Amino acid sequence: MRNRILLFLCVAGLCCSAEVVTWPAAPGTLESGGYSLTVNGKPVDVMAVPSSVLPDDRAFPYSYAMFDADEEVEVEIRAPWSLKKARILPRRFGARGINQKPETFSFRAKPPFTIAIEPFETRHRALVLSANVPEKDVPSADDPNVIFIKPGRYRSENRLTIGSGKTLYLAPGAWVEGAINTKGDNVTICGRGIISGIPWEHKKGPAHDMVNLSGKNVTIRDVTLMSSWFYTLVLSKVEGALVDNVKVIGGRGNNDDGIDPIQ
């Protein structure tokens, strides 16, 4: 019995030994929507997703956070409203709360995952949480074929075009406001950064869609696309495109909620 107890304690302790990687939200973007979040006791920035332009009965305010970890972690969420009825979606994810108090909700899970924690059995004030495994093979900032976006906030009124053989890398903490497209073959957009349409009103951005992919062997992976002014991610005349682990944080209007293949 004693050996079993010791084994249980060792296994239970593994969830707190994971390496957790976090980074600050871009300057001027941090609005938690009321939530605070820790992962293995380490604070994680929470961002409120901009309010919807839809009528009130179709608008669901929510928040977003993300981090990296290499093993199972314990997540603790706090809010100024009751979390006693909070649930984790999708249900097939299989995670359940291990500690539910009036204003605290905790659970354990192993990355990678993207889930939603709904506090009221409705979509109002949900927290969407993305956990990735740590990055590998990060492109070199010295590579002439790499456009390396460092942490910080950037904005452009003109569409950024990524040509053949190029890689656009958004480092953790990079927040790029504007429109991006690929034009050519063997192009990659990747990283832990965010591409955002927040500064522009609905249907009034610098281009029809926020990210447009065209060409052969085009890849977009790991990035977060947040609050586009209109279409979020369009695959236009592509051959051999890969969309992998891309998070679309939308809900601002009728047209920002998905990935659109258009030939």
Side-chain angles (χ1 to χ4, degrees):
M1 178 63 72
R2 181 174 179 271
N3 288 339
R4 290 181 180 179
I5 292 173
L6 288 174
L7 178 61
F8 171 77
L9 290 174
C10 290
V11 173
L14 289 177
C15 72
C16 297
S17 64
E19 179 186 2
V20 178
V21 180
T22 66
W23 46 91
T29 66
L30 181 60
E31 296 179 13
S32 70
Y35 284 106
S36 63
L37 172 67
T38 62
V39 178
N40 285 1
K42 191 172 185 177
V44 178
D45 281 351
V46 180
M47 296 168 281
V49 178
S51 298
S52 173
V53 298
L54 298 171
D56 289 344
D57 63 343
R58 296 173 58 198
F60 298 95
Y62 68 104
S63 300
Y64 178 65
M66 56 184 170
F67 65 92
D68 289 356
D70 57 355
E71 294 291 344
E72 183 179 78
V73 294
E74 182 169 318
V75 178
E76 182 178 274
I77 300 163
R78 293 180 178 271
W81 45 77
S82 176
L83 297 174
K84 292 178 68 175
K85 295 184 178 181
R87 59 179 181 169
I88 298 174
L89 298 177
R91 288 192 177 94
R92 61 178 171 77
F93 182 67
R96 294 183 178 181
I98 59 174
N99 178 21
Q100 285 182 268
K101 298 179 180 179
E103 296 177 353
T104 304
F105 180 79
S106 301
F107 66 93
R108 290 176 183 151
K110 183 177 180 180
F113 60 81
T114 294
I115 57 175
I117 296 91
E118 292 189 347
F120 306 125
E121 298 180 341
T122 72
R123 286 173 283 177
H124 284 285
R125 298 193 182 279
L127 171 62
V128 176
L129 180 60
S130 290
N132 297 291
V133 296
E135 286 186 285
K136 297 181 179 179
D137 302 323
V138 175
S140 172
D142 297 326
D143 187 329
N145 289 319
V146 173
I147 303 169
F148 194 104
I149 308 297
K150 297 179 179 180
R153 189 173 186 176
Y154 310 88
R155 176 175 174 176
S156 176
E157 297 290 342
N158 300 314
R159 182 185 283 276
L160 173 63
T161 298
I162 314 301
S164 291
K166 300 292 185 180
T167 293
L168 173 65
Y169 175 73
L170 285 75
W175 180 286
V176 177
E177 297 171 341
I180 296 173
N181 76 315
T182 67
K183 189 174 182 180
D185 303 338
N186 305 309
V187 182
T188 297
I189 298 173
C190 61
R192 296 289 192 263
I194 294 176
I195 302 172
S196 167
I198 287 176
W200 294 275
E201 296 180 15
H202 186 51
K203 298 184 179 181
K204 294 184 179 180
H208 182 271
D209 31 76
M210 193 165 71
V211 179
N212 185 294
L213 306 183
S214 63
K216 295 182 179 179
N217 301 322
V218 179
T219 297
I220 181 168
R221 66 172 186 266
D222 298 332
V223 297
T224 296
L225 309 180
M226 179 178 283
S227 198
S228 177
W229 53 83
F230 202 46
Y231 287 14
T232 298
L233 176 57
V234 173
L235 280 65
S236 175
K237 297 181 180 179
V238 293
E239 183 178 338
L242 173 65
V243 179
D244 183 20
N245 192 35
V246 173
K247 281 74 69 176
V248 177
I249 306 300
R252 185 174 165 192
N254 288 322
N255 312 96
D256 69 345
D257 60 346
I259 300 170
D260 298 284
I262 299 174
Q263 293 295 332

